[in-house]
Amino acid sequence: MRIDIFTLFPDMFVGPFAASIIKRAQDRGLVSIAIHNIRDWATDKHQITDDTPYGGGGGMVMKPEPIFAAVEAVRGDDSCPVILLTPQGRVFTQAVAQELATYPRLMLICGRYEGVDERVREHLVTDEISIGDYVLSGGEPAAIVVVDAVVRLLPGVLGYERSALEDSHATGLLEGPHYTRPVEFRGWRVPDILLSGHHARIAAWRRQQALLRTLQRRPDLLARARLTPQERAWLRNQGYTGPFAGEEAVNGKAPSPFPA
Ligand code: JAH
């Protein structure tokens, strides 16, 4: 996969992309990431990339010409998703990351100031993504989050020690507790079941812990998780009253099985 990022602050990407999984993926040729400074495509003497908003009001808006010039020059004749990171976009989830990971090429545009001229959204951008409901100073941290989540899904990026399929949010559940040596730390012992060597019982305990932790911290996730009928019944017993996948809620109630 090739990823092109358009930004006024290219320095913000240097550290995050020069370490850990993303660095390894680039070194192995599994992804090629290019950072482009939008300012390089400004044509005036002062290389201006922003201007005051028509209609008045405070702040500045990113001008369309340098963004169009940058994206069109780098894209060439290719067609690929051109994604704007913005609080107005669809919310980024593991499902969106999986979708983006299927493309051979992505372009990410990072806005700044009050945002970008609307003609960029209307005539250049193909997709708008938000990583959550909070205010950032610009789209750069969101672009780093999107790149991290997508790159680790590319074939060959993760080692065998951990498949992307086992990840929390790929299962639709939070993970339960993890322990490593020592078996006793400051008087706190590792649960005996994990030392028992009974692999099937350990797997069942871990699944139960994942269900319990999801119920306690993110019960909203249970509505979409893949659960057996036995697991659904057990969660009801633990006090879960919400919906499960396949049970279509109507006005907050389960639908009547009888025709109206
Ligand atoms: C801030 C342009 N979803 C988080 C997010 C993404 C982008 C921005 N803010 C929050 C942002 C200023 C200018 C984009």
CSV table of all heavy atoms in Angstrom, one decimal, residues 62 84-89 109-116 129-143, ligand 1:
chain,number,residue,atom,x,y,z
A,62,MET,N,-8.3,27.3,5.0
A,62,MET,CA,-7.3,26.9,4.0
A,62,MET,C,-7.8,27.1,2.6
A,62,MET,O,-8.9,26.7,2.2
A,62,MET,CB,-6.9,25.4,4.3
A,62,MET,CG,-6.1,25.2,5.6
A,62,MET,SD,-5.8,23.5,5.9
A,62,MET,CE,-4.5,23.1,4.7
A,84,LEU,N,-10.4,13.3,4.0
A,84,LEU,CA,-10.2,14.5,4.8
A,84,LEU,C,-10.5,14.1,6.3
A,84,LEU,O,-11.5,13.6,6.6
A,84,LEU,CB,-11.2,15.6,4.4
A,84,LEU,CG,-11.1,16.9,5.2
A,84,LEU,CD1,-9.7,17.6,4.9
A,84,LEU,CD2,-12.2,17.9,4.8
A,85,LEU,N,-9.5,14.4,7.1
A,85,LEU,CA,-9.7,14.2,8.6
A,85,LEU,C,-10.4,15.4,9.1
A,85,LEU,O,-9.9,16.5,9.1
A,85,LEU,CB,-8.3,14.0,9.3
A,85,LEU,CG,-7.6,12.7,9.0
A,85,LEU,CD1,-8.5,11.5,9.3
A,85,LEU,CD2,-6.9,12.6,7.7
A,86,THR,N,-11.6,15.2,9.7
A,86,THR,CA,-12.4,16.3,10.1
A,86,THR,C,-13.4,15.8,11.2
A,86,THR,O,-13.9,14.7,11.1
A,86,THR,CB,-13.2,16.9,8.9
A,86,THR,OG1,-14.3,17.7,9.5
A,86,THR,CG2,-13.8,15.9,8.0
A,87,PRO,N,-13.8,16.6,12.2
A,87,PRO,CA,-14.8,16.2,13.1
A,87,PRO,C,-16.1,16.0,12.5
A,87,PRO,O,-17.0,15.4,13.1
A,87,PRO,CB,-14.9,17.5,14.1
A,87,PRO,CG,-13.6,18.2,13.8
A,87,PRO,CD,-13.2,18.0,12.4
A,88,GLN,N,-16.3,16.4,11.2
A,88,GLN,CA,-17.6,16.2,10.5
A,88,GLN,C,-17.7,14.9,9.8
A,88,GLN,O,-18.7,14.6,9.2
A,88,GLN,CB,-17.8,17.4,9.5
A,88,GLN,CG,-17.9,18.7,10.2
A,88,GLN,CD,-17.9,19.9,9.3
A,88,GLN,OE1,-18.4,19.8,8.2
A,88,GLN,NE2,-17.3,21.0,9.7
A,89,GLY,N,-16.6,14.1,9.8
A,89,GLY,CA,-16.6,12.9,9.0
A,89,GLY,C,-17.3,11.7,9.7
A,89,GLY,O,-17.7,11.8,10.9
A,109,ILE,N,-5.8,14.1,3.8
A,109,ILE,CA,-5.6,15.6,3.9
A,109,ILE,C,-5.8,16.0,5.3
A,109,ILE,O,-6.9,15.7,5.9
A,109,ILE,CB,-6.5,16.3,2.9
A,109,ILE,CG1,-6.3,15.9,1.5
A,109,ILE,CG2,-6.4,17.8,3.0
A,109,ILE,CD1,-7.3,16.5,0.5
A,110,CYS,N,-4.9,16.8,5.9
A,110,CYS,CA,-5.0,17.3,7.2
A,110,CYS,C,-5.3,18.7,7.2
A,110,CYS,O,-4.5,19.5,6.7
A,110,CYS,CB,-3.7,17.1,8.0
A,110,CYS,SG,-3.1,15.4,8.0
A,111,GLY,N,-6.5,19.1,7.7
A,111,GLY,CA,-6.9,20.5,7.8
A,111,GLY,C,-6.3,21.1,9.0
A,111,GLY,O,-5.8,20.5,9.9
A,112,ARG,N,-6.3,22.5,9.0
A,112,ARG,CA,-5.9,23.3,10.1
A,112,ARG,C,-6.8,24.5,10.2
A,112,ARG,O,-7.7,24.7,9.3
A,112,ARG,CB,-4.4,23.8,9.8
A,112,ARG,CG,-3.4,22.8,10.1
A,112,ARG,CD,-3.0,23.0,11.6
A,112,ARG,NE,-2.5,21.8,12.2
A,112,ARG,CZ,-2.0,21.7,13.4
A,112,ARG,NH1,-2.0,22.8,14.2
A,112,ARG,NH2,-1.6,20.5,13.9
A,113,TYR,N,-6.6,25.3,11.2
A,113,TYR,CA,-7.4,26.6,11.4
A,113,TYR,C,-8.9,26.2,11.5
A,113,TYR,O,-9.2,25.2,12.1
A,113,TYR,CB,-7.1,27.6,10.2
A,113,TYR,CG,-5.7,27.7,9.9
A,113,TYR,CD1,-5.2,27.3,8.6
A,113,TYR,CD2,-4.7,28.1,10.8
A,113,TYR,CE1,-3.8,27.4,8.3
A,113,TYR,CE2,-3.4,28.1,10.5
A,113,TYR,CZ,-2.9,27.8,9.2
A,113,TYR,OH,-1.6,27.8,8.9
A,114,GLU,N,-9.7,27.0,10.9
A,114,GLU,CA,-11.2,26.7,11.0
A,114,GLU,C,-11.6,25.6,10.1
A,114,GLU,O,-12.7,25.1,10.1
A,114,GLU,CB,-12.0,28.0,10.8
A,114,GLU,CG,-11.7,29.2,11.6
A,114,GLU,CD,-11.0,28.9,12.9
A,114,GLU,OE1,-11.6,28.2,13.8
A,114,GLU,OE2,-9.9,29.4,13.1
A,115,GLY,N,-10.7,25.2,9.2
A,115,GLY,CA,-11.0,24.1,8.2
A,115,GLY,C,-10.6,24.5,6.8
A,115,GLY,O,-9.8,25.4,6.6
A,116,VAL,N,-11.1,23.7,5.9
A,116,VAL,CA,-10.7,23.9,4.5
A,116,VAL,C,-11.9,24.5,3.7
A,116,VAL,O,-13.0,24.3,4.1
A,116,VAL,CB,-10.3,22.5,3.8
A,116,VAL,CG1,-9.1,21.9,4.6
A,116,VAL,CG2,-11.5,21.6,3.7
A,129,ILE,N,-13.4,11.5,7.5
A,129,ILE,CA,-13.3,10.7,8.7
A,129,ILE,C,-13.0,11.5,9.9
A,129,ILE,O,-12.2,12.4,9.9
A,129,ILE,CB,-12.2,9.6,8.4
A,129,ILE,CG1,-12.7,8.6,7.4
A,129,ILE,CG2,-11.8,8.9,9.7
A,129,ILE,CD1,-11.8,7.5,7.0
A,130,SER,N,-13.7,11.1,11.0
A,130,SER,CA,-13.4,11.7,12.3
A,130,SER,C,-13.0,10.5,13.2
A,130,SER,O,-13.5,9.4,13.2
A,130,SER,CB,-14.7,12.3,12.9
A,130,SER,OG,-14.6,12.4,14.3
A,131,ILE,N,-12.0,10.8,14.1
A,131,ILE,CA,-11.5,9.7,15.0
A,131,ILE,C,-12.2,9.9,16.3
A,131,ILE,O,-11.9,9.1,17.3
A,131,ILE,CB,-10.0,9.6,15.2
A,131,ILE,CG1,-9.4,10.9,15.8
A,131,ILE,CG2,-9.3,9.3,13.8
A,131,ILE,CD1,-8.0,10.8,16.3
A,132,GLY,N,-13.1,10.8,16.5
A,132,GLY,CA,-13.9,10.9,17.8
A,132,GLY,C,-14.3,12.3,18.0
A,132,GLY,O,-13.8,13.3,17.4
A,133,ASP,N,-15.2,12.5,19.0
A,133,ASP,CA,-15.8,13.8,19.3
A,133,ASP,C,-15.0,14.6,20.3
A,133,ASP,O,-15.4,14.7,21.4
A,133,ASP,CB,-17.2,13.6,19.7
A,133,ASP,CG,-18.1,13.0,18.6
A,133,ASP,OD1,-17.8,13.1,17.4
A,133,ASP,OD2,-19.1,12.4,19.0
A,134,TYR,N,-13.9,15.1,19.8
A,134,TYR,CA,-13.1,16.1,20.6
A,134,TYR,C,-12.4,17.0,19.6
A,134,TYR,O,-12.3,16.7,18.4
A,134,TYR,CB,-12.1,15.3,21.5
A,134,TYR,CG,-11.5,14.1,20.8
A,134,TYR,CD1,-10.5,14.2,19.9
A,134,TYR,CD2,-12.0,12.9,21.1
A,134,TYR,CE1,-10.0,13.1,19.2
A,134,TYR,CE2,-11.6,11.7,20.5
A,134,TYR,CZ,-10.6,11.8,19.5
A,134,TYR,OH,-10.1,10.7,18.9
A,135,VAL,N,-11.9,18.1,20.1
A,135,VAL,CA,-11.3,19.1,19.3
A,135,VAL,C,-9.8,18.9,19.2
A,135,VAL,O,-9.2,18.9,20.3
A,135,VAL,CB,-11.7,20.6,19.8
A,135,VAL,CG1,-11.0,21.6,18.9
A,135,VAL,CG2,-13.2,20.7,19.8
A,136,LEU,N,-9.3,18.8,18.0
A,136,LEU,CA,-7.8,18.8,17.8
A,136,LEU,C,-7.4,20.2,17.2
A,136,LEU,O,-8.3,20.9,16.8
A,136,LEU,CB,-7.4,17.7,16.9
A,136,LEU,CG,-7.7,16.3,17.4
A,136,LEU,CD1,-7.4,15.3,16.3
A,136,LEU,CD2,-6.9,15.9,18.6
A,137,SER,N,-6.1,20.4,17.2
A,137,SER,CA,-5.6,21.6,16.5
A,137,SER,C,-5.5,21.5,15.0
A,137,SER,O,-5.3,22.4,14.3
A,137,SER,CB,-4.2,22.0,17.1
A,137,SER,OG,-4.3,22.1,18.5
A,138,GLY,N,-5.7,20.3,14.5
A,138,GLY,CA,-5.6,20.0,13.1
A,138,GLY,C,-5.8,18.5,12.9
A,138,GLY,O,-5.9,17.7,13.9
A,139,GLY,N,-5.9,18.1,11.6
A,139,GLY,CA,-6.1,16.7,11.3
A,139,GLY,C,-4.9,15.8,11.5
A,139,GLY,O,-5.1,14.5,11.4
A,140,GLU,N,-3.7,16.3,11.8
A,140,GLU,CA,-2.5,15.5,11.8
A,140,GLU,C,-2.6,14.3,12.8
A,140,GLU,O,-2.2,13.1,12.4
A,140,GLU,CB,-1.3,16.3,12.1
A,140,GLU,CG,-0.8,17.2,10.9
A,140,GLU,CD,-1.6,18.5,10.7
A,140,GLU,OE1,-2.5,18.8,11.6
A,140,GLU,OE2,-1.4,19.2,9.7
A,141,PRO,N,-2.9,14.5,14.1
A,141,PRO,CA,-3.0,13.4,15.0
A,141,PRO,C,-4.0,12.3,14.5
A,141,PRO,O,-3.8,11.1,14.7
A,141,PRO,CB,-3.4,14.0,16.3
A,141,PRO,CG,-3.0,15.4,16.2
A,141,PRO,CD,-3.2,15.8,14.8
A,142,ALA,N,-5.1,12.8,13.9
A,142,ALA,CA,-6.1,11.8,13.4
A,142,ALA,C,-5.5,11.0,12.3
A,142,ALA,O,-5.8,9.8,12.2
A,142,ALA,CB,-7.3,12.6,13.0
A,143,ALA,N,-4.7,11.6,11.4
A,143,ALA,CA,-4.1,10.9,10.3
A,143,ALA,C,-3.2,9.9,10.8
A,143,ALA,O,-3.1,8.7,10.3
A,143,ALA,CB,-3.4,11.9,9.3
B,1,JAH,C1,-9.2,20.5,13.8
B,1,JAH,C2,-9.1,20.8,11.0
B,1,JAH,N1,-11.9,13.7,14.8
B,1,JAH,C3,-10.9,14.4,15.5
B,1,JAH,C4,-10.5,15.7,14.7
B,1,JAH,C5,-10.1,15.7,13.4
B,1,JAH,C6,-9.7,16.9,12.8
B,1,JAH,C7,-9.8,18.1,13.5
B,1,JAH,N2,-10.3,18.0,14.8
B,1,JAH,C8,-10.6,16.9,15.4
B,1,JAH,C9,-9.5,19.4,12.9
B,1,JAH,C10,-8.9,21.7,13.2
B,1,JAH,C11,-8.8,21.8,11.8
B,1,JAH,C12,-9.4,19.5,11.5
